[in-house]
Amino acid sequence: VWGCCLYDANCLSKTPSLSPHLTHGALSTVTDVHYYPNGADWGSDPTRDVSNSDPGKVLVLGEYGGILLVPEGHEWVTGLCHGYSTALNRDELADSFAADNAQLLAMLSSNQHPTLSAAVYTEITDVETECNGLLTYDRLYKADPLRIKESNDNLVAQASKLLQDLVDASSK
């Protein structure tokens, strides 16, 4: 889809959401970063450093998560699954998901990246040999859906409060 922006002067983003690093460009109005922590803090990988993002552009965390868990008998192609980090069981997957959401909330709370406007979890379901979904390709829950919902509800509530506080402060 992003390729059409090369020919459309009114397109909002001139950068592809297909690379694992920051995409900058003079024509772009969006900075897109993909981040898979592999157990590290989000700011510790220089290829994922958003501190130099242009404050005049919208910042999008175009992909985060990517946690591999392969329940036995639920692979598209046996032995070919991959992900960006690994969980050993469904509880560890839910813990990692919640930790990623907590890191995202900390990023929002720090207000170091005031143009951060979107974050996209990768991925909801496994797709062929990319087995880093919250569901398998045949739609088996890999983690307790109530724990995932609880983590998401907390993220949305806290982020909404941060936004409301900013709105309230700007109207004074």
Side-chain angles (χ1 to χ4, degrees), residues 14 29 33 35 51 70 73 97-98 106 108 135 147 162 172:
K14 303 288 189 219
T29 57
V33 62
Y35 191 72
S51 63
V70 184
F97 180 87
L108 292 168
L135 301 165
R147 288 194 57 202
L162 287 170
K172 290 181 181 177

Side-chain angles (χ1 to χ4, degrees), residues 89-170:
N89 57 53
R90 63 189 278 124
D91 287 334
E92 192 172 299
L93 175 58
D95 291 345
S96 295
F97 180 87
D100 282 352
N101 278 354
Q103 284 187 319
L104 178 58
L105 186 58
M107 185 182 199
L108 292 168
S109 299
S110 73
N111 203 29
Q112 290 179 326
H113 311 289
T115 63
L116 180 62
S117 300
V120 180
Y121 184 80
T122 298
E123 32 199 28
I124 302 302
T125 66
D126 290 351
V127 178
E128 297 176 352
T129 60
E130 229 177 298
C131 300
N132 52 8
L134 296 173
L135 301 165
T136 62
Y137 76 93
D138 56 348
R139 306 307 184 254
L140 170 77
Y141 288 108
K142 291 183 182 183
D144 180 349
L146 293 177
R147 288 194 57 202
I148 300 301
K149 181 183 183 313
E150 179 181 285
S151 177
N152 283 338
D153 287 349
N154 181 58
L155 176 62
V156 169
Q158 295 299 318
S160 296
K161 183 182 180 324
L162 287 170
L163 180 59
Q164 187 62 54
D165 290 348
L166 285 172
V167 168
D168 292 346
S170 69

Side-chain angles (χ1 to χ4, degrees), residues 9-86:
N10 297 313
C11 187
L12 293 177
S13 176
K14 303 288 189 219
T15 57
S17 182
L18 298 173
S19 64
H21 53 80
L22 283 177
T23 52
H24 296 282
L27 299 176
S28 175
T29 57
V30 175
T31 299
D32 177 27
V33 62
H34 296 182
Y35 191 72
Y36 304 101
N38 294 319
D41 289 333
W42 287 16
S44 64
D45 182 345
T47 65
R48 310 294 200 261
D49 183 8
V50 297
S51 63
N52 294 321
S53 62
D54 184 338
K57 295 181 181 182
V58 172
L59 176 61
V60 173
L61 181 56
E63 292 186 12
Y64 76 100
I67 307 162
L68 172 72
L69 177 63
V70 184
E72 188 175 335
H74 294 277
E75 294 175 77
W76 185 260
V77 179
T78 303
L80 293 182
C81 280
H82 66 276
Y84 300 97
S85 63
T86 302

